[in-house]
Amino acid sequence: MSETTSDVILESIDLVKHFGSSGFFGPPTVVHAVDGVSLTIRRGETFAIVGESGCGKSTLGRLLLRLIEPTQGDVLYEGRSILSLDAAEMRRLRRDLQIIFQDPFASLNPRMNVGDIISEPLWLHGLGSKSDRREQTAELLRTVGLLPAHADRYPHEFSGGQRQRIGIARALAGNPKLIIGDEPVSALDVSIQAQIVNLLEDLKERYGLTLVVVAHDLAVIRHMSDRVAVMYLGEIVELSSTDDLFENPLHPYTQALLTAIPIPNPQGRRPKPLLQGDVPSPTAPPSGCRFHTRCPHARSICKENHPVAENAGGGRMVACHFWREIQNAGSGALSAPAQSPALTKRMELYMTWRERQEQTKNSNG
Amino acid sequence: MIDNVALHARSADTTGATHSGRDALLRVENLSIRFDGAPPDVNVVDDVTLSVAKGKTLCLVGESGCGKSVTALSLMGLLPTPPARIVGGSAYFGGKDLFRMSEREKADMRGNQTAMIFQEPMTSLNPVFTVGDQIVEGILRHRKVSKSEARERALEMLRRVRIPAPEKRMQAYPHEMSGGMRQRIMIAMALANGPELLIADEPTTALDVTIQAQIISLIRQLQDESGMAMILITHDLGVVAEIADEVAVMYAGKIVEAGSVDKIFMDPQHPYTIGLMGSVPSIGRRQGKLATIRGTVPPAELMPKGCRFMPRCPFADVRCVTDPPPLAEITPGHSARCWYAPLEIHRGGVA
Ligand SMILES: Nc1ncnc2c1ncn2[C@@H]1O[C@H](COP(=O)(O)OP(=O)(O)OP(=O)(O)O)[C@@H](O)[C@H]1O
Ligand SMILES: Nc1ncnc2c1ncn2[C@@H]1O[C@H](COP(=O)(O)OP(=O)(O)OP(=O)(O)O)[C@@H](O)[C@H]1O
Ligand code: SF4
Ligand SMILES: [Mg+2]
Ligand SMILES: [Mg+2]
């Protein structure tokens, strides 16, 4: 890759994380959660990580912020290794780097009220007076579509999506430079999801915020991210700009992923090809290409040789022996059926009335 | 390898049979629930009527915080009362009154005839037991089988939800699993006893689309084999389009629109549903900022007397401020709670 170091805000070098287990019932097993991941995240971009459940996305996110220690490899923030920082330096860094956790309930302290949860990053770093903090908390609550009065309530009194928004508000509190969102909008209905996505985009434009998003909703990924990394069993198998990836997926796993996207149109129901084959275990990753046990294009070499990441042009990278031959094998799946005429007509009516309402509001106020 | 027939896509059911509630397995009528301490006349779930027939799927969609999970928990007898209170309505499951059962009867039914997949897996998995023990326990509780048979069944379920190396994973603790694995453990537990009714609250939010497609296919297969009925709560409209027979759209505690999946997607009538459809990001190239529904749900103290969607609705006028609209039938089996539906007729001319 050819980025100059000043573009790069966060970089991982050959990161590895293995989880060991005690092995009560036999020989100890090692989970290869993340295996040799190198990537660079550019300042101000939205970088998405997608991949099969259990492939190591959350683990990678935690490694990038040093919430857990890697087995091997390094993480550079602004060109400096964060693994060598002492506790005080690490605390300072925590303000710049925030995370929105995947499981909102498990990550919110049940004994703290929402106001204290959200303002925690502020008082931890001694930012603002008490009343400043209260005001800022109220503002953050409003920003994520909750109410200032919610500050006095406790996490269990909220719905799943409301709890997720509390986590988002907390991550925004210390004006971070980079946020890792682990499924940040997964529990939100599409209209609130759209508000949050728009909000994050505004923050990016205004403050140059960098976002790393782990998500399963590929339409959201397509809409909001600049680049996408596709992971399979602890490794990155494809990395590409968003439009290229969706228009011409190169890796067979990426192709399988795109064909499985559910289309929001009941008339588009049709038999879907399903990925077959046993889901391999991260405790015993397959030899050669880790995807070979399920790949429709696999040949004997795939079982033996581990494909190296190749440069596929245009800043793309792919790790497959046969990517040149199998291009386009999965594309064309993304043609969403057209909106019904009734819905189109009603959307138009909706927008017309909305504009009109806007105008009357403006002329009255 | 790719197998093209694995997922037998069923075409959308447009008969509206489940909506009538006549041969419903579950029938909920005029359900209202409130929390202690909330303003007296504002229920978090208000006058909710729905039903689902054997083998069918009803999808419940709606704004975050609108009362979907509270509705589901009340049907399972799992709502903490107090602070919650069922202040009105009834729910019948196969002829039995769910709200008049003893705790004992409820416990016997749960995890057996009815099962629930919870929105947040970590809140319902016990952190100090292995996932294998938890599934086996659930089977032994309701089935007269030996321990090893229960273990076999548990393994089989883990395989069916596509947990890799299931024998090993039986011995893992919840915190050693990824978010999506925990979710699949919940699904395996819920399906283990072959329930007649499954209530699934956002069951696939942590799953990538390939595994999601496999889980949907598995659930469908079970519905075809055993006639399992399902209430699916999800905000993923792609999943709704793929699996629903009927859809109910909720807003601020009320059902604002209900009908067959085709009607809701192809011919939505309520302004909130229309706004919702417009917020779905397209899978095609980016087309500028996402459209959103303006504003937020008002707090309970400020909930409008008339239509609860009024403050955010482009079509609202004085009548909506004062009078609550009824859930009125527009075509057989399709109803909307809006004074001005169908909108072309009442709001068509741009005056
Ligand atoms: N503390 C832990 N101890 C043992 N194994 C772990 C631990 N944390 C994660 N793992 C394992 O590491 C692998 C990767 O998990 P991770 O949570 O990173 O997956 P993920 O990609 O985020 O999946 P999902 O999309 O389901 O959230 C999984 O096999 C998981 O079981
Ligand atoms: N224990 C409680 N005490 C007070 N209010 C509560 C309690 N539990 C839930 N609520 C409120 O009830 C409303 C409905 O919550 P519910 O969990 O049913 O929403 P939901 O539709 O499932 O939303 P989501 O899509 O975000 O999960 C919310 O506004 C929530 O704040
Ligand atoms: S009743 Fe009025 S406010 Fe409510 S949705 Fe219809 S037009 Fe909008
Ligand atoms: Mg995860
Ligand atoms: Mg919920």
Side-chain angles (χ1 to χ4, degrees):
Chain A
M1 304 214 172
S2 61
E3 285 104 346
T4 58
T5 37
S6 66
D7 287 332
V8 174
I9 182 164
L10 194 67
E11 182 171 4
S12 83
I13 301 166
D14 206 19
L15 268 184
V16 174
K17 180 68 187 178
H18 291 171
F19 291 103
S21 91
S22 47
F24 274 136
F25 304 91
T29 49
V30 174
V31 177
H32 300 241
V34 169
D35 238 351
V37 167
S38 298
L39 47 81
T40 54
I41 292 160
R42 301 172 192 156
R43 194 182 311 281
E45 80 171 333
T46 300
F47 186 91
I49 304 172
V50 303
E52 188 155 53
S53 168
C55 73
K57 304 178 296 296
S58 298
T59 306
L60 176 60
R62 282 162 199 260
L63 288 172
L64 289 176
L65 298 195
R66 203 184 162 194
L67 296 172
I68 50 176
E69 301 289 327
T71 310
Q72 201 181 294
D74 204 354
V75 179
L76 308 183
Y77 174 63
E78 307 273 12
R80 252 187 95 192
S81 166
I82 64 170
L83 297 178
S84 56
L85 301 181
D86 63 29
E89 291 172 306
M90 209 50 223
R91 208 167 319 120
R92 222 164 306 131
L93 191 72
R94 290 262 170 267
R95 209 185 125 191
D96 285 359
L97 308 178
Q98 286 289 336
I99 187 162
I100 302 165
F101 288 102
Q102 182 171 12
D103 193 333
F105 196 55
S107 66
L108 302 176
N109 184 338
R111 274 175 286 277
M112 275 166 82
N113 73 29
V114 165
D116 290 342
I117 289 174
I118 293 175
S119 59
E120 190 176 352
L122 299 175
W123 62 257
L124 265 183
H125 300 294
L127 303 173
S129 67
K130 205 166 172 197
S131 68
D132 286 347
R133 291 203 291 263
R134 192 163 321 121
E135 202 160 294
Q136 208 181 334
T137 304
E139 185 53 39
L140 283 164
L141 280 167
R142 252 179 258 126
T143 310
V144 296
L146 295 172
L147 302 162
H150 285 146
D152 300 324
R153 297 221 247 149
Y154 289 83
H156 74 269
E157 296 174 57
F158 290 86
S159 77
Q162 289 167 335
R163 285 201 274 262
Q164 195 164 52
R165 286 179 274 161
I166 294 166
I168 294 170
R170 177 176 58 181
L172 295 174
N175 291 327
K177 298 214 169 67
L178 180 143
I179 296 181
I180 296 190
D182 196 352
E183 301 281 359
V185 294
S186 65
L188 303 179
D189 61 280
V190 285
S191 83
I192 291 183
Q193 189 173 292
Q195 287 175 358
I196 298 285
V197 168
N198 289 350
L199 163 74
L200 291 174
E201 285 177 356
D202 283 346
L203 293 173
K204 274 182 56 179
E205 276 160 36
R206 264 192 284 160
Y207 305 111
L209 180 73
T210 306
L211 277 175
V212 178
V213 192
V214 175
H216 287 308
D217 186 328
L218 292 159
V220 169
I221 295 277
R222 169 126 214 211
H223 178 83
M224 72 183 292
S225 55
D226 301 302
R227 292 193 300 153
V228 184
V230 182
M231 279 183 82
Y232 187 79
L233 231 74
E235 299 178 331
I236 291 183
V237 295
E238 182 163 1
L239 195 153
S240 161
S241 76
T242 305
D243 282 335
D244 286 348
L245 185 98
F246 279 84
E247 275 154 27
N248 183 19
L250 297 180
H251 195 280
Y253 176 66
T254 316
Q255 292 168 357
L257 208 55
L258 297 191
T259 39
I261 299 175
I263 304 296
N265 184 324
Q267 316 257 286
R269 281 187 197 184
R270 63 196 136 91
K272 265 220 184 88
L274 291 182
L275 251 189
Q276 298 296 300
D278 274 341
V279 185
S281 165
T283 55
S287 62
C289 172
R290 293 190 173 179
F291 190 55
H292 87 254
T293 55
R294 303 163 80 194
C295 180
H297 307 286
R299 292 179 226 166
S300 54
I301 180 181
C302 303
K303 211 168 168 170
E304 282 139 32
N305 293 348
H306 186 259
V308 289
E310 278 180 57
N311 188 335
R316 298 188 80 169
M317 184 233 98
V318 56
C320 166
H321 291 299
F322 299 108
W323 69 267
R324 280 185 187 81
E325 293 161 47
I326 59 170
Q327 289 192 53
N328 295 319
S331 55
L334 294 182
S335 50
Q339 221 175 38
S340 78
L343 175 57
T344 310
K345 218 166 56 194
R346 226 151 280 150
M347 280 301 304
E348 276 166 20
L349 206 57
Y350 184 93
M351 293 316 288
T352 315
W353 280 74
R354 185 157 122 168
E355 269 158 44
R356 186 139 39 108
Q357 201 180 42
E358 264 333 61
Q359 278 161 12
T360 20
K361 245 189 223 137
N362 291 342
S363 60
N364 291 345
Chain B
M1 310 288 134
I2 302 273
D3 174 355
N4 271 299
V5 289
L7 200 158
H8 38 141
R10 293 189 307 210
S11 62
D13 180 351
T14 47
T15 59
T18 53
H19 196 67
S20 73
R22 253 183 299 122
D23 31 45
L25 176 67
L26 173 78
R27 212 174 62 239
V28 178
E29 262 158 24
N30 312 104
L31 175 62
S32 295
I33 300 169
R34 52 177 267 106
F35 281 102
D36 290 344
D41 43 353
V42 187
N43 298 327
V44 282
V45 172
D46 200 68
D47 200 21
V48 163
T49 294
L50 50 85
S51 63
V52 54
K54 204 164 178 274
K56 298 287 180 193
T57 298
L58 168 73
C59 282
L60 208 52
V61 302
E63 178 119 336
S64 168
C66 72
K68 304 179 296 290
S69 298
V70 168
T71 302
L73 290 170
S74 76
L75 298 176
M76 295 297 292
L78 290 174
L79 206 56
T81 43
R85 241 168 254 287
I86 294 173
V87 291
S90 62
Y92 285 88
F93 171 71
K96 280 172 293 191
D97 187 339
L98 288 177
F99 296 154
R100 276 170 217 267
M101 279 182 169
S102 66
E103 286 306 320
R104 172 80 208 256
E105 286 171 302
K106 279 188 214 166
D108 281 346
M109 189 178 74
R110 258 198 314 267
N112 193 21
Q113 288 110 307
T114 62
M116 177 153 178
I117 299 167
F118 296 90
Q119 188 168 8
E120 284 156 308
M122 271 318 250
T123 56
S124 47
L125 289 173
N126 191 328
V128 302
F129 292 106
T130 65
V131 298
D133 285 349
Q134 296 185 55
I135 305 175
V136 167
E137 164 66 28
I139 297 169
L140 288 175
R141 211 196 138 104
H142 298 287
R143 291 275 173 277
K144 286 202 181 60
V145 293
S146 72
K147 206 153 182 184
S148 71
E149 282 167 318
R151 218 187 107 78
E152 250 334 289
R153 175 81 184 148
L155 261 177
E156 159 72 15
M157 289 318 297
L158 288 187
R159 234 172 262 130
R160 290 185 85 166
V161 296
R162 309 194 80 80
I163 294 283
E167 289 88 356
K168 278 209 186 91
R169 291 295 178 165
M170 290 276 280
Q171 291 146 25
Y173 290 89
H175 78 269
E176 296 176 316
M177 307 202 125
S178 77
M181 286 174 179
R182 284 179 209 145
Q183 209 163 37
R184 281 175 282 160
I185 299 294
M186 291 285 313
I187 297 171
M189 270 165 106
L191 297 176
N193 286 326
E196 292 162 50
L197 172 70
L198 174 68
I199 301 183
D201 195 352
E202 303 282 5
T204 60
T205 42
L207 303 179
D208 61 280
V209 288
T210 62
I211 291 187
Q212 174 173 280
Q214 280 155 346
I215 296 285
I216 290 176
S217 155
L218 167 67
I219 287 177
R220 238 184 227 154
Q221 204 184 338
L222 292 174
Q223 287 188 295
D224 286 348
E225 281 166 21
S226 70
M228 179 176 80
M230 173 162 71
I231 296 181
L232 174 65
I233 300 174
T234 178
H235 58 262
D236 187 328
L237 293 173
V239 172
V240 177
E242 204 129 280
I243 199 169
D245 297 300
E246 300 282 319
V247 181
V249 184
M250 278 181 85
Y251 184 83
K254 292 189 193 255
I255 290 187
V256 294
E257 183 160 0
S260 71
V261 64
D262 274 347
K263 286 286 185 198
I264 300 293
F265 278 83
M266 315 305 275
D267 193 17
Q269 294 284 353
H270 194 279
Y272 173 68
T273 317
I274 298 167
L276 200 62
M277 295 293 163
S279 309
V280 184
S282 146
I283 196 66
R285 252 177 204 263
R286 185 188 160 108
Q287 328 251 312
K289 281 227 148 132
L290 292 173
T292 61
I293 302 170
R294 301 259 160 92
T296 46
V297 187
E301 317 66 279
L302 300 178
M303 197 55 87
K305 292 272 164 298
C307 173
R308 291 188 173 183
F309 189 56
M310 179 275 295
R312 306 174 70 185
C313 179
F315 302 100
D317 71 2
V318 282
R319 186 181 192 186
C320 312
V321 177
T322 49
D323 300 343
L327 187 62
E329 195 158 77
I330 289 167
T331 53
H334 183 195
S335 40
R337 192 185 288 279
C338 170
W339 287 121
Y340 296 107
L343 292 164
E344 283 84 13
I345 295 179
H346 300 290
R347 286 298 197 239
V350 179

